[in-house]
Amino acid sequence: MTKVFVGGSRRISRLNAEIRNRLDRVVDAGFKIIVGDANGADKAVQIYLQSKCYDAVEVFCAGHACRNNVGNWPTRKVAADKLRGFDFYAEKDRVMADEASYGLMIWDGESIGTLMNVVRLLGKKKPAAVFVSKAKEFVDLHNPDEFRHFLNDHAPEIQPELESRATSELSLLKRRSQMSLL
């Protein structure tokens, strides 16, 4: 079954018509939607999906409890107890990127976490549609080259921070794979 990882920036709390139309296409296709539990875009998406009475939704949470599940959908609690800060919540995003067929990200133009989800998806050869709130448009990304062009056009100032986080993520994943081989 096709699964769509929907996520976005915590600063975005309303969905404009373009985002709602894109979500409607996902709903009309009957795809499963996996979404996080954060305030902001995650919660706004949940509210919208609840208003559509859409039930093919699963809410992912880090740790023991979900912060938001407005539709009372099934939840997936991702173990992240040994992690802190950004990595605590990023753990659920890693699982969501693993399970998704593609991503639909709602980006405020600043959130590194939202772009890290794009990095995770593209790293697994899964496409992502990114809604750029400042430009009020979707950009479809299929590979790292397209992503580099996207960053040059929309966020050159955050590239160093994003590269640092992506490097840390790769290091974490390598350590985990080495541990599983032992």
Side-chain angles (χ1 to χ4, degrees), residues 98-119:
D98 284 342
E99 291 194 13
S101 306
Y102 69 91
L104 193 160
M105 297 294 139
I106 306 163
W107 185 53
D108 65 358
E110 298 175 21
S111 169
I112 300 277
T114 302
L115 293 183
M116 280 300 299
N117 287 330
V118 176
V119 168

Side-chain angles (χ1 to χ4, degrees), residues 19-149:
I19 298 167
R20 291 190 311 268
N21 289 338
R22 188 69 69 111
L23 286 169
D24 287 344
R25 291 184 3 217
V26 172
V27 167
D28 291 345
F31 295 155
K32 182 167 187 173
I33 295 175
I34 55 178
V35 63
D37 67 330
N39 288 319
D42 290 355
K43 186 174 181 181
V45 166
Q46 288 186 25
I47 290 168
Y48 184 69
L49 295 172
Q50 181 190 37
S51 78
K52 304 291 281 181
C53 299
Y54 195 61
D55 63 353
V57 177
E58 185 175 17
V59 178
F60 280 64
C61 318
H64 301 291
C66 284
R67 297 170 286 181
N68 293 294
N69 183 353
V70 299
N72 207 23
W73 295 289
T75 60
R76 176 91 59 89
K77 294 176 181 149
V78 176
D81 298 338
K82 295 179 182 173
L83 301 171
R84 298 286 175 255
F86 178 81
D87 285 330
F88 179 80
Y89 295 108
E91 189 64 18
K92 73 171 173 47
D93 294 337
R94 290 181 192 104
V95 174
M96 292 168 75
D98 284 342
E99 291 194 13
S101 306
Y102 69 91
L104 193 160
M105 297 294 139
I106 306 163
W107 185 53
D108 65 358
E110 298 175 21
S111 169
I112 300 277
T114 302
L115 293 183
M116 280 300 299
N117 287 330
V118 176
V119 168
R120 291 179 187 106
L121 289 159
L122 294 177
K124 296 175 181 307
K125 299 187 182 341
K126 299 174 182 181
V130 180
F131 182 79
V132 182
S133 65
K134 291 178 181 177
K136 294 184 177 23
E137 68 180 4
F138 273 99
V139 177
D140 293 314
L141 301 170
H142 302 91
N143 59 57
D145 286 336
E146 289 178 356
F147 186 61
R148 277 188 282 284
H149 290 296

